[in-house]
Amino acid sequence: MKPLQLALKYMEVFYSGGDMQALRPLLAEDFSFSGPFYTFESAEAYIDSLKADPPKEFEYEIIRSWEDDSSACLIYQFSKPGVSTPMAQMFQVKEGRISKILLVFDTGAFA
């Protein structure tokens, strides 16, 4: 899959509220995640965290997306009860899988 296809598939699975293990085939062996609240250095640690505290009642609407040969970026409006804020996620892709995600947003919306 191309980087943008991978990023959109990731979003589909993440926001489905379903089985987070479905993310595993999308993530590289050396996957890492960095965001304002959490950092993970492996796909297993990331997925285990999502399984322990799954996303619930979250929605998103893509504002803008783009890709190049090895990355994709999504800017979207994140919403859950009581919170709505823009977020950006950069997806680095290596050998057809997501190797790194950088999530950026204003944490003040969650205070």
Side-chain angles (χ1 to χ4, degrees):
M1 275 190 250
K2 290 182 144 195
L4 188 54
Q5 290 173 302
L6 277 168
L8 293 172
K9 181 64 177 173
Y10 165 91
M11 295 292 281
E12 178 185 315
V13 172
F14 184 91
Y15 283 92
S16 73
D19 179 16
M20 291 298 122
Q21 194 62 37
L23 289 172
R24 188 63 190 99
L26 304 177
L27 307 179
E29 291 304 315
D30 61 345
F31 173 80
S32 67
F33 174 92
S34 180
F37 294 131
Y38 301 101
T39 300
F40 299 96
E41 294 300 324
S42 74
E44 288 73 26
Y46 180 65
I47 291 169
D48 287 347
S49 173
L50 293 174
K51 287 171 27 181
D53 187 16
K56 296 178 193 159
E57 300 182 38
F58 295 172
E59 296 179 359
Y60 71 98
E61 183 176 341
I62 301 287
I63 297 168
R64 179 91 162 92
S65 62
W66 64 92
E67 71 180 340
D68 61 25
D69 290 340
S70 63
S71 65
C73 186
L74 301 177
I75 299 175
Y76 57 96
Q77 189 68 28
F78 169 89
S79 301
K80 73 176 196 170
V83 176
S84 181
T85 191
M87 292 187 172
Q89 256 183 164
M90 185 187 70
F91 298 81
Q92 289 292 121
V93 174
K94 182 171 64 174
E95 298 175 359
R97 291 186 169 187
I98 299 167
S99 61
K100 182 176 184 176
I101 296 175
L102 173 64
L103 172 64
V104 179
F105 62 90
D106 179 3
T107 60
F110 293 84

